[in-house]
Amino acid sequence: MDSEEPTTDLVIFDAHGRPLDAIVFDRPSDAKAVIAIVDPKRGPILRTVDAAQLTEREAEGPADRALRLLIRRTPPPARGAARGASGIGSGHAGHARAAMHRTTGK
């Protein structure tokens, strides 16, 4: 996906035989999806799942409002930077080298 906006497809997530309403937040690859679901113990959360566990749904569910609020307050996923690579806003601002050894004041 080359789009800057995260996708927000309505899906059903098969959680070991329990179908749960979910909304797709991001598709980092064809095999994975980041979805917003309502965890019974923790409330609305984002979770990375296998895309094969998702099926499309047409109708809005009762938890969709809470899921959309979670998606709205979550920053969009970073695109284009390799894992661990330096870029604008990453690492320690203004510190290009490691700190030198500090003497004990002898």
Side-chain angles (χ1 to χ4, degrees), residues 9-98:
D9 299 328
L10 299 176
V11 294
I12 296 173
F13 171 60
D14 181 17
H16 306 292
R18 288 187 352 232
L20 299 172
D21 287 349
I23 298 177
V24 176
F25 174 67
D26 186 33
R27 293 289 305 254
S29 70
D30 290 336
K32 291 183 181 181
V34 178
I35 60 171
I37 60 170
V38 176
D39 184 291
K41 295 177 184 173
R42 297 169 47 195
I45 60 169
L46 292 176
R47 182 172 168 191
T48 303
V49 298
D50 183 5
Q53 294 177 292
L54 303 176
T55 55
E56 289 187 41
R57 65 180 166 103
E58 299 292 327
E60 292 276 328
D64 285 348
R65 183 174 186 280
L67 298 177
R68 289 191 193 284
L69 289 173
L70 172 66
I71 290 171
R72 186 183 309 167
R73 69 177 178 256
T74 304
R79 297 278 185 214
R83 193 174 293 188
S86 294
I88 295 174
S90 66
H92 300 286
H95 300 284
R97 297 188 311 230

